RNA sequence: CGGGGCGUGGCGCAGCCUGGUAGCGCACCUGCUUUGGGAGCAGGGUGUCGGAGGUUCAAAUCCUCUCGCCCCGACCA
């Protein structure tokens, strides 16, 4: 391709709206343009990269035995009502009506449609298992789209759905997809981790997320430094030392085994946060217990959650424990509620003396604490030397007691340095990641709701066991940039670069330069290399800047000076240094470097 | 949805407070010079000042409404 003929509107200035690197660079490199909030045009370069990611996904999915289909983007409400998600999905589901006033939605995912297809066309266990996928534009009406392609409303996704006669088959396919995903992201040249994940509102029993490690990631990953454990922080369980058997306590816990002292009361004017209190009273954060008032979304019931001062509540865990308790979907209470419940301004809540109808639930880590500091339920007051016996943890949420659950639960977010929940000996490290893939064991949630059944070998109808597997194709392209860039621009992993090589004749008006460049360009094209010839009549510096910004893995620089000696430069974007080779050797050498890059990136 | 902010040429911005000829840089077009890291000089084109209403002799500027966008928060395969 000739550069002069391509639509590559690069920008010298950063676009004002772009916050993260991938967004900035994709706009500057002329890959995307915004049409509306979270909705973008893909220009030739951007689209080439997206297509390359999609092609890798397609090849690996096919290799894994899946079949590609194409499902509708606009879907009738009936199917969504059948699964129950029409009401449940919320505002992210963009709904619309056709001219006959029939309700539709723009698909954010396709469980309903695929389940409908399979229930109509697949009848027998002999036809199972089956894995169907599509690569398609999806729409989710995100509350706040941001970060360019990382979190758009419209995005390109590969979604796959598998159907099985039994759990064993479904699990086998789950792990088949797990391996397939590893191959896909490896082939894309990405540094990623597969982590245990929460299943969210898709439902199902277990799942893994594939995370590209990057500072700008929105997800936090807990990873063990000695075993292979890795999980989304939302999901990661916390292993608390068993405190029942004192002889087995680690030394640092033993220090907590002090004599319980009587409660005191201190004046802490304006010290609302644990940090402020710790500093004011000269105690470590670990000596404080935070009391957080939560409020149910429905009704106005409140409850108090206790966590150690240096810990944070994991609301996903909390809500899971509270499922079907009447405390559905709790969230941090507003200041008004806090004042009503505790009788003190926000910042001074504590477990001692809370109204009886406010149940107290504590994180397990609190169980090991003695003589800790809590809020006094009174303005500018904290209570040192509080102990668990002082406030009678209310096993009071009746259902907890009824279920034999304790009021000390795993409710906190795991933090760096915690013991690994799996091996127990390793320490947890926290990384940031971008979710590019997610695999779920769905079970029978959709097949039961939508009567997607098969006849087993006895002729009985059974619901199919399902799995579903997503990859954010456009997001993967953005994640690759987050992970591969420098101050000059993008450094594409060769397998997903929009072009593999750029040939840069520094002076297009010099016949010798142009002839040599054209010769190399033609030879590369003939060899099947994706090459672009920068035939623009521009200064050298300009061309270099564009080439670096766009991030071609290899550039071939043809300049008058080197050409006098019959030489050109072959430069690798990632390595930086230039290799001088003869014109006649240039194409072969460049091809070698590209193949090597594609090889090592695999 | 709560809080904050921004809409002025293709892009980035100034002007608004204190109403009175709409500006700067980049980009774009022409010419000459230049030509290995976003050139120099000269000339040129480019704006419903996001939209609607209002105040005023006069509105980019003040007021009201509205639309769009960005940031923080809550939310999220």
């Amino acid at each position: 391709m000739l550069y002069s003929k391509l639509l590559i509107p690069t920008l010298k200035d950063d676009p004002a709206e772009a916050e993260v690197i991938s967004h900035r660079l994709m706009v500057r490199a002329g890959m995307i343009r915004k049409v509306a909030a979270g909705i973008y045009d893909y220009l030739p370069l951007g689209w080439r990269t997206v297509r390359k990611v999609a092609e890798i996904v397609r090849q690996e999915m096919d290799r894994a035995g899946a079949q590609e289909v194409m499902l509708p983007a606009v879907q009738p409400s009936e199917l969504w009502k059948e699964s129950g998600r029409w009401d449940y999905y919320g505002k992210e589901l963009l709904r619309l009506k056709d001219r006959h006033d029939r309700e539709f939605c723009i698909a954010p995912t396709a469980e309903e449609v695929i389940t409908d297809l399979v229930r109509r066309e697949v009848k027998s266990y002999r036809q199972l298992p089956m894995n169907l996928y599509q690569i398609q534009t999806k729409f989710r009406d995100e509350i706040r789209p941001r970060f360019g392609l990382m979190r758009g409303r419209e995005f390109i996704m590969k979604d796959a759905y598998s159907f099985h006669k039994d759990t064993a088959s479904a699990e086998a396919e789950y792990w088949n997809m797990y391996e397939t995903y590893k191959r896909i992201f490896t082939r894309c040249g990405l540094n990623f981790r597969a982590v245990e994940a929460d299943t969210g509102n898709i439902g199902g029993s277990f799942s893994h997320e594939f995370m590209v490690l990057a500072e700008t990631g929105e997800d936090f990953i807990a990873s063990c430094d000695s075993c292979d454990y890795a999980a989304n922080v939302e999901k990661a369980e916390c292993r608390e030392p068993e405190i029942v058997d004192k002889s087995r306590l680690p030394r640092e816990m033993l220090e907590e085994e002090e004599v319980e002292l009587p409660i005191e009361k201190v004046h802490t004017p304006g010290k609302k946060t644990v940090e402020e209190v710790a500093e004011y009273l000269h105690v470590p954060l670990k000596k404080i217990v935070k009391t957080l008032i939560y409020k149910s979304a429905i009704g106005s019931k409140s409850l108090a959650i206790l966590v150690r001062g240096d810990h944070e509540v994991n609301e996903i865990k909390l809500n899971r424990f509270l499922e079907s308790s009447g405390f559905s979907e709790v969230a941090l209470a507003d200041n008004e509620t806090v004042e009503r419940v505790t009788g003190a301004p926000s910042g001074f809540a504590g477990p001692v003396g809370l109204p009886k109808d406010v149940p107290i639930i504590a994180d397990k880590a609190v169980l090991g604490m003695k003589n800790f500091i809590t809020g006094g339920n009174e303005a500018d007051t904290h209570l040192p030397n509080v102990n668990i016996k002082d406030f009678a943890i209310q096993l009071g949420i009746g259902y907890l007691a009824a279920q034999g659950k304790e009021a000390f639960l795993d409710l906190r977010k795991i933090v760096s340095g915690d013991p690994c929940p799996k091996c127990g000996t390793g320490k947890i490290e926290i990384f940031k990641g971008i979710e590019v893939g997610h695999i779920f064991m769905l079970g029978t949630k959709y097949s039961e709701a939508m009567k997607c059944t098969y006849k087993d070998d006895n002729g009985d109808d059974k619901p199919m066991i399902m799995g579903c597997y997503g990859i954010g194709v456009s997001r993967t392209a953005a994640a690759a940039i987050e992970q591969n860039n420098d101050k000059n621009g993008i450094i594409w992993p060769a397998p997903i670069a929009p072009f593999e090589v750029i040939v840069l004749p520094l002076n297009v008006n010099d016949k010798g330069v142009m002839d040599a460049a054209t010769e190399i360009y033609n030879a590369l094209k003939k060899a099947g290399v994706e090459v672009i010839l920068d035939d623009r009549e521009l200064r050298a510096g300009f061309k270099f800047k564009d080439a670096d910004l766009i991030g071609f893995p290899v550039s071939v620089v043809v300049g008058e000076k080197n050409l006098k000696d019959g030489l050109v430069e072959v430069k690798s974007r990632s390595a930086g240094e230039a290799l001088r080779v003869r014109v006649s050797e240039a194409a072969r050498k460049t091809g070698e470097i590209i193949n090597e890059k594609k090889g090592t990136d695999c």
Side-chain angles (χ1 to χ4, degrees), chain A residues 307-375:
Chain A
V307 293
R308 208 170 73 188
D310 57 334
H311 288 155
E312 278 182 70
V313 173
N314 181 331
E315 296 188 4
I316 289 178
K317 288 181 185 174
L318 177 60
N319 272 307
R320 179 153 306 136
F321 283 119
L322 292 173
E323 259 169 26
S324 71
S325 67
F327 283 90
S328 56
E329 295 298 302
V330 297
L332 217 44
D334 51 283
N335 287 349
E336 207 176 295
T337 307
V338 172
E339 285 184 34
R340 188 166 42 79
V341 170
T342 66
S346 156
F348 301 97
V352 180
L354 277 182
K356 287 269 183 296
D357 63 336
V358 179
I360 300 169
I361 308 179
D363 177 69
K364 275 183 181 172
V366 175
L367 197 50
M369 297 173 68
K370 290 259 166 87
N371 299 326
F372 43 86
I373 295 163
T374 73

Side-chain angles (χ1 to χ4, degrees), chain A residues 258-470:
Chain A
E258 45 194 284
V259 181
E260 295 187 0
L261 301 169
I263 300 183
E264 294 172 32
K265 194 170 177 179
V266 293
H267 190 56
T268 48
K271 308 299 175 193
K272 288 168 178 266
T273 67
V274 281
E275 287 80 12
E276 287 166 355
V277 173
E279 201 192 330
Y280 186 71
L281 298 176
H282 305 291
V283 294
L285 287 175
K286 287 184 175 185
K287 205 63 188 167
I288 299 176
V289 167
K290 272 195 281 201
T291 305
L292 298 144
I293 307 298
Y294 275 81
K295 195 177 152 188
S296 177
I298 309 150
S300 59
K301 288 197 263 187
S302 305
L303 72 164
I305 308 298
L306 308 185
V307 293
R308 208 170 73 188
D310 57 334
H311 288 155
E312 278 182 70
V313 173
N314 181 331
E315 296 188 4
I316 289 178
K317 288 181 185 174
L318 177 60
N319 272 307
R320 179 153 306 136
F321 283 119
L322 292 173
E323 259 169 26
S324 71
S325 67
F327 283 90
S328 56
E329 295 298 302
V330 297
L332 217 44
D334 51 283
N335 287 349
E336 207 176 295
T337 307
V338 172
E339 285 184 34
R340 188 166 42 79
V341 170
T342 66
S346 156
F348 301 97
V352 180
L354 277 182
K356 287 269 183 296
D357 63 336
V358 179
I360 300 169
I361 308 179
D363 177 69
K364 275 183 181 172
V366 175
L367 197 50
M369 297 173 68
K370 290 259 166 87
N371 299 326
F372 43 86
I373 295 163
T374 73
N377 292 327
E378 194 178 309
D380 300 334
T381 303
H382 279 84
L383 308 178
N385 297 335
V386 174
N387 287 286
I388 288 162
K389 66 170 171 45
D390 295 325
F391 52 85
I393 285 273
Q394 299 181 18
L395 301 162
I397 300 189
Y399 88 101
L400 272 181
Q403 291 176 19
K405 285 186 186 169
E406 296 183 34
F408 288 98
L409 300 167
D410 174 19
L411 294 176
R412 68 180 177 92
K413 280 187 194 159
I414 200 163
V415 294
S416 175
D418 272 343
C420 170
K422 186 176 177 189
C423 69
T425 53
K427 290 253 184 284
I428 289 297
E429 296 174 287
I430 307 285
F431 296 100
K432 282 199 239 176
I434 300 163
E435 181 191 350
V436 289
H438 203 156
I439 58 178
F440 297 88
M441 268 300 297
L442 279 183
T444 56
K445 176 172 170 168
Y446 295 93
S447 54
E448 279 182 3
M450 299 182 65
K451 301 193 174 53
C452 178
T453 60
Y454 67 96
K455 295 261 190 242
D456 70 8
D457 48 9
N458 292 319
D460 294 333
D461 283 323
K462 295 265 179 67
M464 296 185 198
I465 315 282
M466 293 174 60
C468 86
Y469 321 93

Side-chain angles (χ1 to χ4, degrees), chain A residues 79 124 143 168 209 214 270 307 312 420 463 486 499 511:
Chain A
L79 293 175
S124 161
I143 299 171
E209 286 169 335
V307 293
E312 278 182 70
C420 170
D486 65 14
F499 286 91
K511 187 164 186 305

Side-chain angles (χ1 to χ4, degrees), chain A residues 523-537:
Chain A
L524 284 167
K525 252 199 334 194
K526 205 172 162 192
V529 175
E530 295 180 18
V531 58
I532 189 169
L533 177 66
D534 192 350
D535 59 330
R536 296 174 302 167
E537 200 171 334

